[in-house]
Amino acid sequence: MGFDVGAHLVRLGIVSSTSDHASVVSINIFVALLCSCIVIGHLLEENRWMNESITALIIGLCTGVVILLTTKGKSSHILVFSEDLFFIYLLPPIIFNAGFQVKKKQFFRNFMTIILFGAIGTMISFFIISLGAIEIFKRIDVGSLDVGDFLAIGAIFSATDSVCTLQVLNQDETPFLYSLVFGEGVVNDATSVVLFNALQDFDINHVDAITVLKFVGNFFYLFLTSTFLGVFAGLLCAYIIKKLYIGRHSTDREVALMILMAYLSYMLAELLDLSGILTVFFCGIVMSHYAWHNVTESSRITTKHVFATMSFIAETFLFLYVGMDALDIEKWKFTSDSPGNSIGVSSILLGLVLVGRAAFVFPLSFLSNLTKRSPEEKINFRKQIIIWWAGLMRGAVSIALAYNKFTRSGHTQLRGNAIMITSTITVVLFSTMVFGLLTKPLIRLLLPASSRNCVISEPTTPKSLLSPLLGPEQGGWEAETGGHSITRPSSLRMLLTKPSRTVHYYWRKFDDAFMRPVFGGRGFVPHVPGSPHEDTLNGWR
């Protein structure tokens, strides 16, 4: 067992097989850099241009320059990147915390629009980027790339950077925009990864109607089964904690069980070739709605901060490493004989990303607005520009997929593959630095403070964790009638006129009647000495 773990760490580049002392030095330096990112990020907290992602990238770039100078151009980073390190260890806490902390009412209120952008929009972007790459790159010298590689490029550059988006948008100032962009980012990442994996087994030379139908069917199968697995894992965790009252003896066990069940759901999804991103995201939502209310108050506080801390460290680690790896001399030396081609490819890819995103944001926003009657729920043109701009950033998911496709163990000996890796790194750095720097000023320009403050908001965490999954909305039937009972319209009429509120209403009835009595949640945890109870929550309401 110990041998297997050690060999795995060697393959990830965390432990050196030749020098334990060198690996310890590398880890110390990296931890010190993480600490510096936290300190400098705190000092720049109020800066209108900077955010922690950009800070980590800049520190990574500066560190890469120093390492290049000290090693005389042999290396620019401390650890060797591996897509396994990213997908198995760093991505799960980021996505789970996003689901655990998300304001559920805003997310599910805009669920259809999020799916529209995240799934249909990603497919539109994928086709535009892929077709553009096929038509343009065949006319310039980019090495020996085939149609399968160009389709993979479409999937790689369709993946937005939801991590950087979380740090740019504010959940309390712009809850509507945050829920749309963030929700789209999570669904988008899952769609891109599922699409990328599906293309690996797709025979380009034998395409017919049946093959395409199987591809689409498999795509939706992965979405549904991944979501179901996440919901099941969250409900199972909530049921165990509710029945056993683990907190009577140890709050540590409650916290450990929630962490391990969340990670188990992700790894099961990967084991079954499903989308771990979707699975762990919905596991986080379900746990925050049921399991979180079944634990003791000290466990509530602990889980909230543990999940947020793990996510924060993973995010900082990613951007710090991307900054260092951008200067990797091994990849750049294969493109040194034709730097113009590399710059041209990066510019073309960036242009395709801009066009691909605009091709679905504005048309799909128009379609979404047709189904909404209230002006507050519609996506006006200024918000559409922000949604388009905030999703232009590309990040660690794109880099991990590019490494998976065009390298072997982080290295490549082929010129075409090297061009694609360096171009991906260039697009990620440019989009994160330039688009990320300009996002905050753009939001302040297009959405004045008065406009941002009047957006329908919800209580901040931890109150957001106390909100029903699809609770009553501001301006709902109760508000419209002043709290008086009136004759309700027929279900069909309600569904046609107010589909979102109708779904909310019937979900709440089902949740109160069946789900909470079985799985726990606010108001359904029995008062037993040493067990969770609702009295501790009265001060938060």
Side-chain angles (χ1 to χ4, degrees):
M1 180 69 177
F3 175 78
D4 292 339
V5 173
H8 189 58
L9 292 177
V10 169
R11 184 164 62 87
L12 294 179
I14 298 176
V15 176
S16 172
S17 59
T18 58
S19 174
D20 292 336
H21 177 71
S23 65
V24 172
V25 171
S26 298
I27 293 174
N28 273 277
I29 294 175
F30 211 94
V31 173
L33 290 173
L34 288 172
C35 294
S36 66
C37 289
I38 294 173
V39 173
I40 296 175
H42 171 72
L43 295 176
L44 298 175
E45 180 73 24
E46 301 301 326
N47 189 282
R48 63 177 296 184
W49 300 95
M50 300 294 290
N51 60 63
E52 288 164 341
S53 300
I54 298 175
T55 302
L57 272 176
I58 293 175
I59 293 176
L61 285 169
C62 295
T63 305
V65 172
V66 173
I67 297 174
L68 274 176
L69 295 175
T70 55
T71 60
K72 298 181 180 179
K74 294 181 179 179
S75 177
S76 67
H77 46 67
I78 303 169
L79 304 178
V80 178
F81 182 86
S82 169
E83 58 269 14
D84 290 338
L85 172 65
F86 171 71
F87 282 108
I88 296 178
Y89 300 109
L90 298 178
L91 189 61
I94 296 174
I95 302 300
F96 175 79
N97 183 66
F100 194 78
Q101 303 285 358
V102 70
K103 294 188 175 182
K104 297 178 287 295
K105 285 196 294 184
Q106 278 288 348
F107 179 82
F108 283 98
R109 183 181 299 159
N110 304 303
F111 187 72
M112 294 308 299
T113 305
I114 288 171
I115 294 297
L116 196 65
F117 283 178
I120 307 300
T122 302
M123 296 297 292
I124 294 174
S125 178
F126 160 74
F127 282 115
I128 289 178
I129 295 175
S130 297
L131 293 176
I134 292 173
E135 292 298 321
I136 298 174
F137 289 162
K138 283 184 176 179
R139 303 178 183 179
I140 60 179
D141 183 18
V142 293
S144 56
L145 299 179
D146 56 25
V147 177
D149 294 325
F150 293 132
L151 293 178
I153 290 171
I156 290 168
F157 287 96
S158 296
T160 62
D161 182 16
S162 56
V163 174
C164 194
T165 302
L166 296 181
Q167 298 181 356
V168 172
L169 293 174
N170 188 296
Q171 187 168 203
D172 296 319
E173 287 187 359
T174 55
F176 176 71
L177 278 177
Y178 182 94
S179 66
L180 282 183
V181 176
F182 156 72
E184 180 221 333
V186 174
V187 178
N188 167 278
D189 286 348
T191 304
S192 301
V193 173
V194 171
L195 189 60
F196 180 85
N197 291 334
L199 287 172
Q200 305 306 305
D201 304 323
F202 190 65
D203 189 0
I204 305 297
N205 299 320
H206 301 85
V207 179
D208 53 25
I210 297 178
T211 305
V212 173
L213 288 176
K214 287 183 178 179
F215 178 82
V216 174
N218 183 56
F219 185 81
F220 284 103
Y221 165 79
L222 290 175
F223 254 88
L224 294 175
T225 51
S226 300
T227 302
F228 173 79
L229 180 59
V231 172
F232 175 79
L235 292 177
L236 179 62
C237 180
Y239 184 80
I240 293 173
I241 293 176
K242 177 177 181 292
K243 287 297 181 181
L244 299 182
Y245 303 123
I246 298 175
R248 289 181 299 179
H249 305 293
S250 173
T251 58
D252 296 339
R253 293 175 186 170
E254 288 183 321
V255 178
L257 183 63
M258 292 182 69
I259 294 174
L260 293 175
M261 286 292 291
Y263 190 68
L264 179 62
S265 71
Y266 182 87
M267 294 308 298
L268 277 176
E270 294 298 314
L271 181 65
L272 299 173
D273 293 327
L274 303 176
S275 172
I277 295 176
L278 273 179
T279 297
V280 78
F281 175 71
F282 279 98
C283 180
I285 290 180
V286 173
M287 279 193 181
S288 70
H289 184 60
Y290 296 109
W292 191 81
H293 295 278
N294 297 344
V295 300
T296 59
E297 183 178 1
S298 58
S299 293
R300 295 190 190 108
I301 298 172
T302 303
T303 53
K304 171 183 175 293
H305 291 291
V306 165
F307 294 146
T309 302
M310 293 170 61
S311 173
F312 173 76
I313 294 175
E315 292 170 9
T316 308
F317 182 100
L318 284 175
F319 285 103
L320 183 61
Y321 185 86
V322 168
M324 286 189 290
D325 194 58
L327 301 175
D328 186 10
I329 198 69
E330 290 292 328
K331 302 181 185 69
W332 288 101
K333 71 179 182 181
F334 290 102
T335 61
S336 59
D337 59 334
S338 55
N341 272 0
S342 182
I343 296 175
V345 169
S346 302
S347 302
I348 291 170
L349 288 173
L350 194 61
L352 290 174
V353 168
L354 291 167
V355 174
R357 183 156 184 83
F360 76 82
V361 168
F362 298 105
L364 294 185
S365 296
F366 174 77
L367 293 178
S368 176
N369 289 338
L370 294 178
T371 64
K372 298 177 180 179
R373 295 175 177 268
S374 172
E376 292 79 10
E377 295 178 346
K378 292 187 177 182
I379 310 172
N380 59 40
F381 185 68
R382 291 189 174 188
K383 292 179 181 178
Q384 293 176 28
I385 293 177
I386 294 175
I387 293 171
W388 169 71
W389 185 271
L392 292 174
M393 289 172 279
R394 298 298 181 263
V397 174
S398 294
I399 288 183
L401 294 179
Y403 274 43
N404 182 283
K405 180 65 179 179
F406 297 110
T407 71
R408 187 181 298 272
S409 299
H411 301 284
T412 180
Q413 302 293 327
L414 300 176
R415 179 174 173 275
N417 290 355
I419 288 179
M420 295 315 305
I421 291 295
T422 54
S423 298
T424 302
I425 293 174
T426 302
V427 170
V428 168
L429 285 177
F430 183 87
S431 62
T432 303
M433 298 284 287
V434 177
F435 298 151
L437 281 172
L438 296 177
T439 300
K440 282 185 179 179
L442 181 67
I443 292 175
R444 295 184 181 184
L445 175 66
L446 296 178
L447 295 179
S450 58
S451 174
R452 293 198 302 270
N453 293 335
C454 72
V455 180
I456 299 175
S457 61
E458 300 172 33
T460 56
T461 305
K463 286 184 180 180
S464 61
L465 293 173
L466 304 175
S467 303
L469 187 60
L470 292 173
E473 301 182 48
Q474 181 179 355
W477 288 297
E478 293 83 356
E480 291 172 358
T481 60
H484 300 292
S485 175
I486 61 172
T487 304
R488 297 180 57 82
S490 65
S491 299
L492 179 61
R493 181 182 173 188
M494 287 162 48
L495 184 62
L496 294 176
T497 57
K498 298 178 179 179
S500 176
R501 296 180 184 178
T502 305
V503 173
H504 293 183
Y505 172 77
Y506 283 107
W507 163 255
R508 285 171 52 212
K509 291 185 66 174
F510 175 76
D511 192 32
D512 292 341
F514 299 101
M515 298 298 289
R516 292 189 185 181
V518 176
F519 299 104
R522 185 177 58 168
F524 282 94
V525 181
H527 178 70
V528 177
S531 69
H533 56 86
E534 286 299 297
D535 295 339
T536 58
L537 305 180
N538 291 334
W540 290 349
R541 294 179 179 173

